[in-house]
Amino acid sequence: MKLTRRTFLGSSIALTIATAFGLSGCSKKPETLQETEGTGVEVQKLAEGQWKASGCLGCTSWCAKQVYMVDGRAIKIQGHPDSKVHGANDCPRAHLAVQQVYDADRIKQPMKRTNPKKGKNEDPGFVPISWDEAMELFADKIMELRNNDETHKFGLFRGRYTNINDLFYGNLPKIIGSPNNISHSSICAEAEKFGPYYTQGYWNYRDYDVRNTKYIICWGVDPLCSNRQVSHYLNVFGELLEKGVKIATIDPKHSATAAKSHVWMPVKPGQDGALATAMAHVILTEGLWSREFVGEFKDGENHFVAGNTVDEDNFEENHTYGITKWWNLELKDRTPEWAEAICGVDAATIRKVATDFANAAPQALVFMGGGSNMQVRGGYNSMAVHALNGLVGSAEHEGGTITGRSPKLNGFTKPDDFMDEMAQKNTKMQKIDQRGYKEFPALKDGKSGGGVVTNRVADAILAEDPYLPKVMIGYFCNFNYSCTETERWNKAMEKIEFFAHCVTHYSEMGHFADLLLPSTHHMFEQMSAAAQKGNGFTHLWIAERLIEPFYDVKNPESEIPWMLAEKLEEKGFGNLMDYLKTFKDPETDKEPTNGLELELHAFKIRTQPIWDPAEYAETGNNGTKYNSWDEFIQAGIWNSDAYEFKKLWSNMPTETGKFEFYSETLKKALAGHAEKHNTDIDDILATCKYDVVGERAFIPHYEEPYMVGTESEYPFAFIDSKSRLTREGRAANCSWFQEFKDVDAGDVKWGDCIKMNPEDAAKLGLQDGELVKVTSPTGEMTTTLKTWVALRPGTVQKNFGQGHWAMGHVAAEDFEGRVARGANSNDMIPSEFERLSGSTAYYGSFRVRIEKA
């Protein structure tokens, strides 16, 4: 049987079974109904079943879940009630996973490309093959690299993952002999991590002690919609409002969180730095900084007076460093009146929010998301916004922002002993994302090239700089859809000689694959585990395989490496198999004999400090105590003890050990990168498209945003937003996603739109509901116009999630014809970067024009 792209997903048998399960999105009324007493509402009665522990990787909330199982089928999902992070609370996205796992459009068996030409308009001519044949082809390609001493031209792309990802993502490329394991991280949040790292030494997501706070500023983030721990915040925000907690939202659009806030500050896109430095100015001039955390003038007088410099020796700091330098170099002139004309928020509101926030401190917090910093010049915005937490003493304080902590887990055997001479040599080659290049410092953890520059890979492939990769594999990723200027990725993937894609669904990236390797669904068909923080706790959830895989699918992090290792061993390269055999069962000391045993052993090894009393006594994991693996896997969750506040005061992993308003940590990192390229810091910053020179480079400061497109030619700043139902782009083939798309205020069911303030629409003579053409300096799209009063004039806003021309028959308008349902914003967002962190710039970075289609 030969299947082309047009037919390989159209399994009528699978569709029949999915329909029988009631999971196909049809509107058939269930036969067994019961009426909820006194409401007149009919609800379906659940069949007799059992709740089983699982977890969700649909976003970075990484919530613990329970799945209701009936006769081996997954029926319903809820939050795990034993999680101290979110309890039984849930978010809407998790429920779409049931449709995903039983989707008739899933890839059902390995598929091989038969058309050697690659391109969006080429039919790959996929035909079904066996796993044995697929692994034979893949192993042959790797052996060609080894035979030609070109192992560095192998690469692995990673999207979402479980906590055994080091087995595949971390160590497999090294054993083969490549430096190229490329994570998705910098299209996710690296600029958001930049500010907290270069003020308090923490490169990660923060936790926010909202239950004990009195004032929250949600800055460039929508916790009720799309950020981490949505399940928790959806539940707790009601409590906060009842208790009288004040909430301010800073966002150019009136978000779901703004609708629940006392103050909405519609900042101009990109101008967050002006607003943040003005708020810091108010806090200091009004004498509202934290004396306990920051310190005080030695004479007891407040010398922070607008326009005046202060004597740095007259201020004695406690747990911070550089407050007077920050004032003298930046803040003294950043009045609310100065900011009003720049950021579009009136001076009186700036002053009131800053004052109310500081008066509520230290039980007050700034909840920061990507909107304020995933901009071309967003690194210093990130520092300025987060510095407000330090200024009022809420960093690491009850009711403030806290770093949280990760559970102490075992690592895996290091790959060094399994890397031959070729691997040792070639893993030292430059990574293909150009991290560490002069124009891409990517200063994660203070190191030049320490981070990842995911979106730069497409440009590097096209330029063959530092070289052209030949053999690649990716899992849980779709960069041809989720990265900006998507056409670059299409052209780049055309150039890759051999690409294998491990995914549940055919996708825009998979269209360029030579092998499609059908993946297990993380929530139901494979063992999974992940840890996340929230509510002052950290949980780690773990899940067994809950259902027998519906199709011929494999776990990309365990089963696929095992099968590949078998083939490589047959061809004379046994290093990978030798490595995998070190994954011995901690209880029996037996080596794995297949991929499923490798999966089990890896999770047991990784989590042993959680379930083995001898191990957790050594590592100091404080929290839930288990006495065996069986006890842990049955419960499915571990919780830490409550967070210890103030523990990091004057004990922060910065150069000074303090919270740095003048960042010696950034100064050292920039100096190291400049020295590496035989230049100075000013030159590095100019190369990275920043204007700053001199000492201001080491403090949070305002820079005029770098916007692609002039205001005269492109009048509207573009706002890219996240949908309440988008599981990071993997939800669009669910009918529930399409049917309930209008939960995003102003959006439409089964379609797509761009929103504009009615005042702007009237000036252009545009009507609500008509088709418009949206043009940026790098692309264009056609979509429906929706007038939306809850949007700052001079801006347009569109939700991410539609625009798939692949993924399946629901996601695409015409799947066989590669016609997208709606438009993908990334098709027209310019490929720009916040280069100090490596982050892709999605926000506050470009303009568009709108006209009738």
Side-chain angles (χ1 to χ4, degrees):
M1 179 177 64
K2 182 175 180 180
L3 286 80
T4 68
R5 181 186 183 279
R6 291 176 177 268
T7 60
F8 85 94
L9 291 173
S11 169
S12 60
I13 295 175
L15 181 59
T16 301
I17 295 173
T19 303
F21 284 174
L23 297 168
S24 64
C26 64
S27 58
K28 181 181 177 182
K29 186 176 181 180
E31 294 179 5
T32 306
L33 295 172
Q34 61 181 7
E35 186 175 308
T36 304
E37 186 175 354
T39 66
V41 176
E42 292 181 333
V43 295
Q44 186 173 6
K45 183 179 180 180
L46 283 178
E48 190 67 30
Q50 186 178 8
W51 288 104
K52 293 281 192 177
S54 187
C56 182
L57 297 175
C59 76
T60 50
S61 291
W62 296 339
C63 294
K65 300 296 180 187
Q66 287 184 329
V67 178
Y68 196 69
M69 301 295 300
V70 177
D71 296 332
R73 302 195 300 267
I75 301 297
K76 185 177 172 61
I77 297 168
Q78 69 177 18
H80 198 307
D82 292 338
S83 168
K84 291 186 177 180
V85 172
H86 53 64
N89 303 303
D90 229 337
C91 92
R93 290 192 294 270
H95 303 281
L96 298 176
V98 178
Q99 281 202 324
Q100 288 177 326
V101 73
Y102 293 119
D103 190 350
D105 275 348
R106 282 183 65 180
I107 304 170
K108 299 168 179 64
Q109 64 188 98
M111 308 292 290
K112 179 180 72 171
R113 184 185 200 93
T114 60
N115 181 2
K117 293 183 179 179
K118 295 184 178 182
K120 180 178 177 180
N121 295 320
E122 294 287 341
D123 187 335
F126 284 114
V127 297
I129 58 173
S130 67
W131 276 102
D132 185 73
E133 185 181 352
M135 291 298 102
E136 184 81 17
L137 287 170
F138 193 23
D140 280 343
K141 290 297 180 180
I142 291 174
M143 292 306 297
E144 285 180 19
L145 295 180
R146 291 195 56 79
N147 292 337
N148 295 324
D149 192 13
E150 291 184 317
T151 57
H152 58 287
K153 295 183 179 180
F154 172 81
L156 191 157
F157 291 131
R158 183 194 74 180
R160 189 57 57 231
Y161 53 91
T162 76
N163 69 6
I164 65 163
N165 74 94
D166 266 354
L167 185 162
F168 185 36
Y169 168 76
N171 294 335
L172 180 145
K174 294 177 183 176
I175 293 169
I176 290 173
S178 174
N180 290 314
N181 51 346
I182 305 297
S183 164
H184 76 289
S185 301
S186 65
I187 64 170
C188 186
E190 298 308 89
E192 179 187 327
K193 300 171 186 175
F194 184 87
Y197 184 82
Y198 287 106
T199 51
Q200 67 175 90
Y202 184 69
W203 189 283
N204 209 327
Y205 305 127
R206 281 81 51 216
D207 187 12
Y208 299 95
D209 187 25
V210 298
R211 275 208 158 101
N212 295 306
T213 200
K214 296 176 182 177
Y215 202 108
I216 302 174
I217 299 176
C218 294
W219 203 312
V221 66
D222 191 356
L224 301 184
C225 174
S226 61
N227 203 263
R228 284 160 290 286
Q229 289 316 320
V230 174
S231 298
H232 171 51
Y233 296 122
L234 278 172
N235 174 63
V236 78
F237 260 55
E239 295 178 22
L240 302 181
L241 292 171
E242 286 181 7
K243 290 194 302 184
V245 174
K246 299 300 181 184
I247 303 171
T249 290
I250 299 173
D251 199 315
K253 71 179 187 304
H254 197 259
S255 63
T257 302
K260 302 295 182 183
S261 299
H262 300 85
V263 181
W264 173 41
M265 305 169 75
V267 65
K268 289 181 180 178
Q271 297 290 4
D272 304 87
L275 181 54
T277 53
M279 290 176 68
H281 175 98
V282 171
I283 291 168
L284 291 176
T285 56
E286 297 294 327
L288 298 176
W289 72 87
S290 169
R291 268 68 176 176
E292 179 188 21
F293 187 65
V294 179
E296 176 63 293
F297 284 101
K298 293 176 182 178
D299 60 8
E301 299 291 328
N302 182 8
H303 295 278
F304 293 125
V305 177
N308 294 349
T309 58
V310 299
D311 180 357
E312 294 181 14
D313 293 332
N314 190 28
F315 196 99
E316 187 171 350
E317 291 186 78
N318 293 333
H319 305 288
T320 65
Y321 176 84
I323 184 66
T324 52
K325 285 182 182 291
W326 188 24
W327 171 265
N328 288 338
L329 289 169
E330 176 71 12
L331 296 183
K332 65 183 178 63
D333 299 317
R334 301 309 189 202
T335 66
E337 290 72 23
W338 162 84
E340 179 178 347
I342 296 172
C343 72
V345 179
D346 66 274
T349 301
I350 296 173
R351 196 175 301 279
K352 178 168 175 51
V353 170
T355 301
D356 291 348
F357 168 71
N359 280 327
Q363 289 174 277
L365 60 90
V366 179
F367 193 138
M368 179 175 66
S372 62
N373 46 65
M374 292 183 78
Q375 306 171 9
V376 178
R377 293 173 176 165
Y380 289 106
N381 288 353
S382 183
M383 292 177 70
V385 171
H386 187 66
L388 295 173
N389 289 307
L391 199 55
V392 300
S394 68
E396 300 299 307
H397 194 285
E398 180 184 17
T401 177
I402 53 182
T403 56
R405 58 192 167 192
S406 300
K408 297 173 183 176
L409 304 177
N410 284 336
F412 295 141
T413 302
K414 293 188 179 299
D416 304 53
D417 292 342
F418 305 90
M419 295 168 64
D420 60 13
E421 185 177 347
M422 185 189 301
Q424 295 282 356
K425 171 176 66 76
N426 288 348
T427 53
K428 294 181 175 65
M429 299 282 280
Q430 168 71 42
K431 285 180 179 276
I432 57 171
D433 62 346
Q434 301 182 349
R435 69 183 75 182
Y437 275 26
K438 180 183 177 182
E439 66 269 33
F440 284 103
L443 298 174
K444 178 183 177 181
D445 295 333
K447 301 172 185 174
S448 172
V452 62
V453 196
T454 314
N455 200 13
R456 187 63 177 180
V457 172
D459 303 284
I461 291 172
L462 291 171
E464 300 185 20
D465 178 10
Y467 43 81
L468 177 64
K470 288 187 174 181
V471 179
M472 304 200 74
I473 185 170
Y475 77 106
F476 225 154
C477 62
N478 186 15
F479 296 152
N480 293 56
Y481 176 81
S482 57
C483 288
T484 57
E485 267 191 79
T486 54
E487 187 58 25
R488 296 175 309 117
W489 278 92
N490 294 340
K491 295 299 182 185
M493 295 308 294
E494 289 177 19
K495 295 187 66 169
I496 299 300
E497 180 181 309
F498 188 87
F499 176 56
H501 207 204
C502 312
V503 281
T504 57
H505 287 69
Y506 186 77
S507 68
E508 286 78 8
M509 196 171 195
H511 182 73
F512 297 87
D514 298 273
L515 279 180
L516 290 174
L517 304 177
S519 174
T520 46
H521 192 287
H522 72 273
M523 191 183 290
F524 310 100
E525 297 175 322
Q526 66 181 62
M527 183 165 278
S528 293
Q532 189 56 283
K533 61 187 77 69
N535 196 32
F537 294 90
T538 299
H539 71 204
L540 182 146
W541 56 263
I542 191 164
E544 297 182 274
R545 292 179 171 228
L546 299 181
I547 66 175
E548 190 66 26
F550 199 47
Y551 306 117
D552 189 11
V553 296
K554 305 293 182 184
N555 184 343
E557 290 183 332
S558 55
E559 293 181 276
I560 289 177
W562 183 271
M563 291 186 295
L564 178 61
E566 288 180 321
K567 287 297 181 183
L568 290 173
E569 187 174 42
E570 290 175 9
K571 298 175 187 299
F573 181 68
N575 300 45
L576 181 58
M577 180 57 75
D578 291 341
Y579 170 70
L580 296 181
K581 286 182 177 179
T582 67
F583 286 75
K584 296 181 179 180
D585 187 318
E587 294 182 300
T588 66
D589 202 38
K590 289 183 178 179
E591 293 180 351
T593 61
N594 56 53
L596 288 178
E597 289 182 0
L598 174 64
E599 175 187 86
L600 174 63
H601 295 184
F603 280 105
K604 290 177 78 171
I605 292 167
R606 189 85 167 98
T607 62
Q608 192 172 0
I610 296 294
W611 57 264
D612 185 338
E615 288 275 335
Y616 62 61
E618 272 188 35
T619 58
N621 269 329
N622 295 314
T624 313
K625 297 293 187 294
Y626 291 106
N627 296 308
S628 68
W629 165 258
D630 289 340
E631 188 179 343
F632 173 48
I633 196 70
Q634 184 175 358
I637 192 165
W638 170 88
N639 292 290
S640 71
D641 288 343
Y643 193 74
E644 297 179 49
F645 301 110
K646 298 187 179 182
K647 192 174 181 180
L648 294 178
W649 282 17
S650 288
N651 190 32
M652 292 179 174
T654 59
E655 284 298 302
T656 62
K658 310 278 189 175
F659 190 105
E660 295 182 345
F661 298 117
Y662 180 95
S663 182
E664 296 286 355
T665 307
L666 179 56
K667 187 175 186 178
K668 179 180 178 180
L670 285 171
H673 185 71
E675 183 179 355
K676 175 179 173 180
H677 293 283
N678 299 310
T679 187
D680 58 31
I681 292 174
D682 288 350
D683 180 43
I684 292 296
L685 289 167
T687 302
C688 293
K689 301 189 176 181
Y690 279 98
D691 284 336
V692 67
V693 295
E695 290 286 284
R696 289 180 66 242
F698 315 126
I699 58 169
H701 67 269
Y702 168 73
E703 296 220 4
E704 182 179 350
Y706 183 102
M707 300 285 281
V708 180
T710 62
E711 189 170 0
S712 59
E713 188 174 1
Y714 301 97
F716 297 98
F718 187 95
I719 304 166
D720 179 56
S721 303
K722 301 299 178 280
S723 167
R724 281 191 164 189
L725 296 181
T726 299
R727 289 170 58 84
E728 295 190 332
R730 292 183 284 271
N733 207 51
C734 299
S735 60
W736 294 339
F737 171 88
Q738 301 292 348
E739 180 63 24
F740 299 108
K741 188 69 182 68
D742 56 352
V743 298
D744 296 309
D747 269 22
V748 294
K749 298 172 182 281
W750 293 90
D752 201 13
C753 67
I754 191 167
K755 298 167 202 170
M756 173 184 282
N757 189 283
E759 295 179 10
D760 291 328
K763 292 175 184 177
L764 294 176
L766 299 176
Q767 302 296 319
D768 183 86
E770 70 177 316
L771 282 179
V772 293
K773 184 171 75 170
V774 185
T775 306
S776 80
T778 56
E780 65 179 43
M781 63 183 178
T782 300
T783 189
T784 301
L785 179 72
K786 294 290 288 184
T787 54
W788 188 241
V789 71
L791 186 65
R792 180 182 182 89
T795 65
V796 291
Q797 179 258 321
K798 187 178 182 303
N799 280 324
F800 173 76
Q802 297 283 41
H804 282 286
W805 50 266
M807 197 62 68
H809 291 82
V810 175
E813 187 73 30
D814 177 0
F815 178 61
E816 282 75 15
R818 288 185 285 278
V819 177
R821 184 184 299 281
N824 179 8
S825 301
N826 287 327
D827 290 346
M828 56 180 296
I829 298 179
S831 178
E832 286 289 348
F833 302 84
E834 199 295 307
R835 295 162 184 258
L836 298 182
S837 64
S839 175
T840 291
Y842 288 95
Y843 314 114
S845 298
F846 77 106
R847 298 180 173 278
V848 299
R849 66 173 177 266
I850 312 285
E851 53 197 329
K852 290 183 180 181

Coordinates of all heavy atoms in Angstrom, one line a residue, residues 410 586-587 604 607-619 621 625-629 632:
N410 N 18.8 12.6 40.8 CA 20.0 12.1 40.3 C 20.3 12.4 38.8 O 19.3 12.5 38.0 CB 20.0 10.5 40.4 CG 20.2 10.0 41.8 OD1 20.8 10.7 42.6 ND2 19.7 8.8 42.1
P586 N 17.7 0.5 39.7 CA 18.2 0.8 41.1 C 17.8 -0.3 42.1 O 18.6 -0.5 43.1 CB 17.7 2.1 41.5 CG 17.3 2.8 40.2 CD 16.8 1.7 39.3
E587 N 16.8 -1.0 41.9 CA 16.3 -2.0 42.8 C 16.9 -3.4 42.5 O 17.1 -4.2 43.4 CB 14.8 -2.1 42.8 CG 14.1 -0.8 43.4 CD 12.6 -0.9 43.4 OE1 12.0 -1.1 42.3 OE2 12.1 -0.7 44.5
K604 N 13.4 5.7 37.3 CA 13.7 5.2 38.6 C 15.0 5.8 39.1 O 15.1 6.2 40.3 CB 13.7 3.7 38.7 CG 12.4 3.1 38.5 CD 12.4 1.5 38.5 CE 12.6 0.9 39.8 NZ 12.4 -0.5 39.8
T607 N 14.6 9.7 39.7 CA 13.8 10.1 40.9 C 14.1 9.4 42.2 O 13.4 9.5 43.1 CB 12.3 9.9 40.5 OG1 12.1 8.5 40.3 CG2 11.9 10.7 39.3
Q608 N 15.2 8.6 42.2 CA 15.6 7.8 43.3 C 15.7 8.7 44.6 O 15.3 8.2 45.7 CB 16.8 7.0 43.1 CG 17.1 6.0 44.2 CD 18.2 5.1 43.8 OE1 18.9 5.2 42.8 NE2 18.5 4.1 44.7
P609 N 16.2 9.9 44.6 CA 16.2 10.7 45.8 C 14.8 11.1 46.3 O 14.7 11.6 47.4 CB 17.0 12.0 45.3 CG 17.8 11.6 44.2 CD 17.0 10.6 43.5
I610 N 13.8 10.8 45.5 CA 12.4 11.1 46.0 C 11.8 9.9 46.7 O 11.2 10.0 47.7 CB 11.5 11.5 44.8 CG1 12.0 12.8 44.1 CG2 10.0 11.5 45.2 CD1 11.8 14.0 45.0
W611 N 12.1 8.7 46.1 CA 11.4 7.5 46.7 C 12.3 6.5 47.5 O 11.7 5.6 48.2 CB 10.8 6.7 45.5 CG 11.7 6.2 44.4 CD1 12.0 6.9 43.2 CD2 12.5 5.0 44.4 NE1 12.9 6.1 42.5 CE2 13.3 5.0 43.2 CE3 12.7 4.0 45.3 CZ2 14.2 4.0 42.9 CZ3 13.6 2.9 45.0 CH2 14.3 3.0 43.8
D612 N 13.6 6.7 47.5 CA 14.5 5.8 48.2 C 14.9 6.5 49.5 O 15.6 7.5 49.5 CB 15.7 5.5 47.4 CG 16.6 4.5 48.0 OD1 16.6 4.3 49.3 OD2 17.4 3.8 47.3
P613 N 14.5 6.0 50.7 CA 14.8 6.7 52.0 C 16.3 7.0 52.1 O 16.7 8.0 52.6 CB 14.3 5.8 53.0 CG 13.2 5.0 52.3 CD 13.6 4.9 50.9
A614 N 17.2 6.0 51.7 CA 18.6 6.2 51.8 C 19.1 7.4 51.0 O 19.9 8.2 51.4 CB 19.3 5.0 51.4
E615 N 18.5 7.5 49.8 CA 18.9 8.6 48.9 C 18.4 10.0 49.4 O 19.2 10.9 49.4 CB 18.3 8.3 47.5 CG 19.0 7.2 46.8 CD 20.3 7.6 46.0 OE1 20.4 8.8 45.7 OE2 21.2 6.8 45.8
Y616 N 17.2 10.1 49.8 CA 16.7 11.4 50.2 C 17.3 11.9 51.5 O 17.3 13.0 51.8 CB 15.2 11.6 50.1 CG 14.3 10.7 51.0 CD1 14.3 10.8 52.4 CD2 13.3 9.9 50.4 CE1 13.5 10.0 53.1 CE2 12.4 9.1 51.1 CZ 12.5 9.2 52.5 OH 11.7 8.4 53.3
A617 N 17.7 10.9 52.3 CA 18.4 11.3 53.5 C 19.7 12.0 53.1 O 20.2 13.0 53.8 CB 18.7 10.1 54.4
E618 N 20.4 11.5 52.1 CA 21.7 12.1 51.6 C 21.5 13.4 50.9 O 22.3 14.3 51.2 CB 22.4 11.1 50.7 CG 23.2 10.1 51.4 CD 24.0 9.3 50.4 OE1 24.5 9.8 49.4 OE2 24.3 8.1 50.7
T619 N 20.5 13.5 50.1 CA 20.4 14.7 49.3 C 19.7 15.9 50.0 O 19.8 17.0 49.6 CB 19.6 14.4 48.0 OG1 18.3 13.9 48.3 CG2 20.3 13.4 47.1
N621 N 16.3 16.2 50.4 CA 15.0 16.6 49.8 C 14.0 16.7 50.9 O 13.7 15.7 51.6 CB 14.6 15.6 48.8 CG 15.0 15.9 47.4 OD1 15.1 17.1 47.0 ND2 15.2 14.9 46.6
K625 N 7.6 12.1 52.0 CA 8.5 10.9 52.2 C 7.8 9.6 51.7 O 6.7 9.3 52.1 CB 8.8 10.8 53.7 CG 9.5 12.0 54.3 CD 10.9 12.1 53.8 CE 11.8 13.1 54.5 NZ 11.3 14.5 54.3
Y626 N 8.5 9.0 50.8 CA 8.1 7.7 50.3 C 9.1 6.6 50.7 O 10.3 6.9 50.9 CB 8.0 7.7 48.8 CG 6.8 8.6 48.3 CD1 7.1 9.8 47.7 CD2 5.5 8.2 48.4 CE1 6.0 10.6 47.3 CE2 4.5 8.9 48.0 CZ 4.7 10.2 47.4 OH 3.7 11.0 47.0
N627 N 8.6 5.4 50.8 CA 9.5 4.3 51.2 C 9.9 3.3 50.1 O 10.7 2.4 50.3 CB 8.8 3.5 52.4 CG 8.6 4.4 53.6 OD1 9.6 5.0 54.1 ND2 7.4 4.5 54.1
S628 N 9.3 3.5 48.9 CA 9.6 2.6 47.8 C 9.2 3.3 46.5 O 8.4 4.2 46.5 CB 8.9 1.3 48.0 OG 7.5 1.5 47.9
W629 N 9.7 2.7 45.4 CA 9.3 3.1 44.1 C 7.8 2.9 43.9 O 7.1 3.7 43.4 CB 10.1 2.4 43.1 CG 9.5 2.5 41.7 CD1 8.8 1.5 41.0 CD2 9.6 3.6 40.8 NE1 8.5 1.9 39.8 CE2 8.9 3.2 39.6 CE3 10.2 4.8 40.8 CZ2 8.8 4.0 38.5 CZ3 10.1 5.7 39.7 CH2 9.4 5.3 38.6
F632 N 5.7 5.5 45.5 CA 5.8 6.8 44.8 C 5.0 6.8 43.5 O 4.2 7.7 43.2 CB 7.3 7.1 44.5 CG 7.5 8.3 43.7 CD1 6.9 9.5 43.9 CD2 8.4 8.2 42.6 CE1 7.2 10.6 43.1 CE2 8.7 9.3 41.8 CZ 8.0 10.5 42.0

